[in-house]
Amino acid sequence: MTTIDHEHFMRRALEIAAEADSAGDMGVGSIVVQGDRIVGTGRNRISTARNPMAHAETDAIADACRALGTDTLAGCRIYTTMEPCPMCAGALVLAKIDHWVLGGRFKSVGRTDLGRYSVESFADFVGAEIEVTTGILQAECEELRTRFFRR
């Protein structure tokens, strides 16, 4: 069995997040990986697209589904520079992505019936079996988010 180089893929997600930051959006980037191949990419485009649903994760899911000609991404991993919001977490569950690799944690996302929101509490709430890996290049990922709020 080969070891997955999470940092390699997260660095690519960070490059995409930097594109969002340069465009004036919150610097969040996501990639969908099947095996060792990137099959989808996305970045936050909320401000530039004037669309509150144009999140990095949803764009990456749509891109991967187009590339693979499918509506589910079972067996794929998503690398996202920030913990997904509840909307994106729901989209990831519907896409059947079973391994989420996260950079930064977004502690101020909101609240659910379960208390403070986290992807782990969300997965428990919806009864999904999701592998969650956290803290990959966390400082770099959170810096892009912080830069957005400083502006």
Side-chain angles (χ1 to χ4, degrees):
M1 179 174 176
T2 59
T3 303
I4 299 168
D5 185 356
H6 292 312
E7 285 191 12
H8 166 76
F9 291 113
M10 189 61 75
R11 286 196 193 289
R12 179 64 184 120
L14 273 165
E15 291 171 4
I16 295 166
E19 294 170 13
D21 180 66
S22 292
D25 277 296
M26 184 184 297
V28 179
S30 298
I31 63 170
V32 176
V33 176
Q34 183 182 59
D36 62 356
R37 183 174 67 116
I38 296 172
V39 295
T41 65
R43 66 177 179 87
N44 269 16
R45 297 178 302 104
I46 297 164
S47 297
T48 54
R50 297 184 182 186
N51 179 351
M53 295 182 293
H55 290 212
E57 298 88 346
T58 56
D59 276 3
I61 289 168
D63 192 39
C65 286
R66 274 191 302 273
L68 297 174
T70 185
D71 61 351
T72 63
L73 300 170
C76 291
R77 297 182 310 281
I78 190 158
Y79 290 82
T80 190
T81 59
M82 289 304 301
E83 179 173 21
C85 71
M87 177 187 76
C88 291
L92 293 170
V93 169
L94 291 173
K96 297 182 176 29
I97 296 176
D98 50 14
H99 188 177
W100 304 358
V101 184
L102 314 178
R105 299 304 294 250
F106 207 164
K107 296 170 182 66
S108 63
V109 165
R111 293 190 166 280
T112 68
D113 293 353
L114 304 171
R116 196 75 167 145
Y117 169 82
S118 71
V119 293
E120 294 88 354
S121 64
F122 181 84
D124 288 343
F125 180 70
V126 298
E129 290 190 28
I130 301 163
E131 181 179 354
V132 178
T133 303
T134 62
I136 307 299
L137 303 177
Q138 184 170 349
E140 294 95 320
C141 293
E142 290 178 354
E143 173 56 31
L144 282 171
R145 180 201 58 209
T146 301
R147 193 177 324 175
F148 175 80
F149 287 115
R150 274 193 224 128
R151 281 197 302 261

